[in-house]
Amino acid sequence: MKRMINASLKGSIDDCSCNVDTVDYFNNMKIYPRLQSLLVRDYFRFYKVNLKQECPFWTDDSKCAMRYCHVQPCQDEDIPDGLKGDMLRNIHFNESPVDKYRARAQFDDCLHSAKDHNRELGYLNTTISSENYKDFELWQQYDDAQDNFCVEESSPGEYVDLLLNPERYTGYKGPSAHRIWHTIYMENCFRPENSPHNFIQSSKINGMCLEKRVFYRVISGLHASINIHLCSKYLLMSKDTLAIVPGGQWGPNLREFQKRFSPQETGGEGPNWLRNLYFTYLLELRALAKAAPYLGREEYYTGNKEHDKDTRLAMNDILSIVKSFPEHFNESVMFTGGAEAQLLKEQFRQHFRNISRIMDCVGCDKCKLWGKLQTHGLGTALKILFSGKFDRWESTLNNFNKKKFFLERSEIVALINAFGRLSESIFELDKFRQMMR
């Protein structure tokens, strides 16, 4: 059993040009250590999320089996001042970060009281009515909706400190958890005919077109990544039986890992699911490389000048490593067949939007938090790859149309944290493989 997992997880990664060993070395030696130091920084550790949004598909009657499901939101005083405001996209692009990120209400006062400027120069009236600004906002929301692969939250939600709410095994299982993945695979993944399982058998996946294979592999890779997190941070001993360890003892559970991925326990599919993890990693890596010119100019503003400067330097260091990888996923070969391809692209987007909605049906708050964050990050990667707005990126600092290349702060936070989760999965997978050897 142990040899079969190690032997099967070698060679090329399907629909990509590189192999498992190349990604292992690149991630574990270059990417993973840098991401670990980046993700503890304030800009990336605080994520705004609505965990109270109702499930749109069924009445959720599940209850988590353990106390570790609970998520503790941040108190207002815990949140860096620079994260509390919103940035308006269409104005004030030349201002300093502290001005750009002021609370929206302060901008509204300025916008609604605007007067003619510099009357000596003539009759140019730069006043824009509040009604027009509402129209602009609607236009922007419509434009965004055409590109987004995730459904926006119905309300702003609350900030959560990700470091205080780590992703790990919570005991969330049974019918509720199975219903989540069953609905994702059976109702929202493209499927070949006569495929009755939650997953798609590897013998049948090549019968689908590239775009449909990519969709399935991305979701399967995300699922594999989440399962590795649960196996590597498994509750080995609860605080009720080991009082000297506050909060319990957490660590890798090799038996649980084998149960989820060994060929014998998965009908031979486990190694394919692990290979899909690498595929999802390469897709998000490519999105980071493609958005690097944009992300390299982001201010990563929290209000602390020294910390923000260090975050920018750390982020640019990671982006330079990302761009150095020689064999990125190639998204340019997808959706190239005219009107039919564009219809498929829209189906692709709508299927993923449904999956982002399904995350609100997760019965465990901590599982929901990390499910929503990783789905949000993957959706942001798909937006970068397939919206067309990052294909020919150029600085638009002095251009009203900068909104074409705008990423919300929450999208950046989700993108980097989601990639961090994939990176850690590959790192932990290598540790499991060493344990099996």
Side-chain angles (χ1 to χ4, degrees):
M1 179 189 295
K2 297 176 180 180
R3 290 179 180 176
M4 287 187 69
I5 293 181
N6 281 321
S8 301
L9 199 57
K10 290 183 179 295
S12 62
I13 300 167
D14 298 325
D15 290 319
C16 290
S17 59
C18 64
N19 59 52
V20 168
D21 291 342
T22 302
V23 175
D24 279 339
Y25 177 81
F26 176 76
N27 177 72
N28 297 346
M29 300 300 294
K30 297 183 177 182
I31 292 293
Y32 177 76
R34 288 175 168 87
L35 275 176
Q36 292 304 297
S37 64
L38 180 71
L39 291 174
V40 299
R41 298 177 181 275
D42 282 354
Y43 186 90
F44 295 105
R45 70 182 285 187
F46 294 101
Y47 178 61
K48 202 169 192 178
V49 61
N50 180 3
L51 297 177
K52 299 177 182 177
Q53 198 153 285
E54 292 186 3
C55 172
F57 300 111
W58 59 77
T59 301
D60 180 37
D61 55 359
S62 61
K63 291 184 179 180
C64 191
M66 299 168 66
R67 64 176 64 86
Y68 305 108
C69 295
H70 181 64
V71 171
Q72 181 63 47
C74 295
Q75 300 298 314
D76 188 66
E77 60 269 19
D78 298 328
I79 307 167
D81 290 338
L83 299 183
K84 296 177 182 178
D86 295 309
M87 188 176 80
L88 294 183
R89 357 179 142 196
N90 302 335
I91 58 174
H92 300 306
F93 286 120
N94 294 319
E95 293 185 2
S96 66
V98 70
D99 291 325
K100 287 168 64 174
Y101 286 89
R102 274 192 231 143
R104 182 177 296 269
Q106 292 176 277
F107 281 121
D108 289 343
D109 291 341
C110 298
L111 297 175
H112 297 163
S113 61
K115 303 295 181 183
D116 292 353
H117 294 290
N118 204 341
R119 295 176 184 275
E120 294 179 1
L121 296 180
Y123 300 101
L124 180 63
N125 186 330
T126 60
T127 302
I128 301 177
S129 70
S130 59
E131 288 77 13
N132 282 335
Y133 267 103
K134 290 178 182 177
D135 287 341
F136 295 161
E137 189 66 21
L138 289 174
W139 298 343
Q140 184 63 55
Q141 290 173 4
Y142 177 81
D143 289 343
D144 288 345
Q146 306 314 298
D147 301 320
N148 286 347
F149 283 74
C150 292
V151 176
E152 290 193 13
E153 306 274 28
S154 61
S155 64
E158 299 175 288
Y159 274 105
V160 171
D161 186 337
L162 298 174
L163 299 185
L164 297 181
N165 296 278
E167 183 182 24
R168 58 192 184 188
Y169 182 79
T170 64
Y172 177 58
K173 56 186 178 180
S176 175
H178 289 305
R179 180 165 54 179
I180 298 294
W181 288 110
H182 178 86
T183 305
I184 288 173
Y185 283 117
M186 298 298 288
E187 298 181 21
N188 290 283
C189 278
F190 299 97
R191 307 178 59 79
E193 293 184 8
N194 302 318
S195 183
H197 304 286
N198 273 359
F199 57 87
I200 297 175
Q201 293 168 303
S202 57
S203 60
K204 295 183 178 180
I205 193 170
N206 289 325
M208 299 191 295
C209 67
L210 171 64
E211 291 81 359
K212 293 180 179 181
R213 292 200 306 270
V214 166
F215 191 96
Y216 169 72
R217 288 198 168 115
V218 162
I219 300 303
S220 174
L222 173 63
H223 191 185
S225 179
I226 291 172
N227 278 334
I228 291 174
H229 303 155
L230 306 185
C231 296
S232 63
K233 292 181 175 61
Y234 200 90
L235 182 61
L236 303 176
M237 201 171 293
S238 74
K239 69 178 183 179
D240 298 327
T241 57
L242 191 66
I244 60 173
V245 181
Q249 183 182 5
W250 304 78
N253 185 328
L254 181 59
R255 177 68 195 104
E256 184 69 21
F257 175 81
Q258 292 171 334
K259 176 182 174 182
R260 293 173 186 258
F261 292 109
S262 73
Q264 290 83 355
E265 304 251 9
T266 61
E269 293 294 332
N272 295 319
W273 301 340
L274 293 173
R275 200 176 297 276
N276 289 337
L277 161 65
Y278 287 82
F279 181 86
T280 309
Y281 177 92
L282 289 171
L283 182 139
E284 291 198 15
L285 184 75
R286 168 56 185 157
L288 286 174
K290 190 169 186 177
Y294 179 95
L295 295 171
R297 296 180 64 95
E298 180 63 31
E299 288 139 355
Y300 303 102
Y301 178 72
T302 67
N304 185 312
K305 289 185 178 180
E306 288 300 316
H307 289 180
D308 295 350
K309 179 181 177 182
D310 289 343
T311 301
R312 287 194 296 273
L313 291 172
M315 187 66 189
N316 277 284
D317 176 47
I318 287 178
L319 291 173
S320 68
I321 300 296
V322 166
K323 289 187 289 185
S324 73
F325 190 72
E327 299 173 289
H328 285 288
F329 173 79
N330 181 14
E331 80 284 357
S332 66
V333 297
M334 295 176 61
F335 306 116
T336 58
E340 185 175 341
Q342 291 309 303
L343 177 61
L344 179 60
K345 183 177 179 180
E346 180 59 20
Q347 291 175 341
F348 190 104
R349 189 176 71 92
Q350 291 298 338
H351 280 228
F352 196 87
R353 285 171 67 86
N354 276 346
I355 292 173
S356 76
R357 288 188 181 100
I358 291 171
M359 290 300 120
D360 285 313
C361 301
V362 175
C364 159
D365 278 353
K366 189 166 288 183
C367 306
K368 182 185 294 187
L369 164 65
W370 287 101
K372 286 171 75 77
L373 182 143
Q374 290 173 85
T375 305
H376 191 188
L378 180 53
T380 302
L382 295 174
K383 172 182 177 178
I384 291 168
L385 293 177
F386 300 122
S387 69
K389 292 185 175 181
F390 292 84
D391 291 352
R392 292 177 296 278
W393 195 92
E394 60 183 73
S395 174
T396 49
L397 187 62
N398 300 311
N399 189 332
F400 181 83
N401 288 327
K402 181 176 179 179
K403 64 181 182 181
K404 289 183 178 179
F405 307 102
F406 190 88
L407 288 176
E408 301 281 357
R409 180 161 51 200
S410 63
E411 290 178 302
I412 297 174
V413 172
L415 175 68
I416 302 303
N417 272 283
F419 185 62
R421 296 280 76 209
L422 295 170
S423 173
E424 183 165 329
S425 291
I426 289 176
F427 183 82
E428 293 291 343
L429 174 57
D430 188 57
K431 290 165 65 174
F432 276 121
R433 294 167 74 187
Q434 290 179 33
M435 292 170 66
M436 289 189 290
R437 294 190 193 105

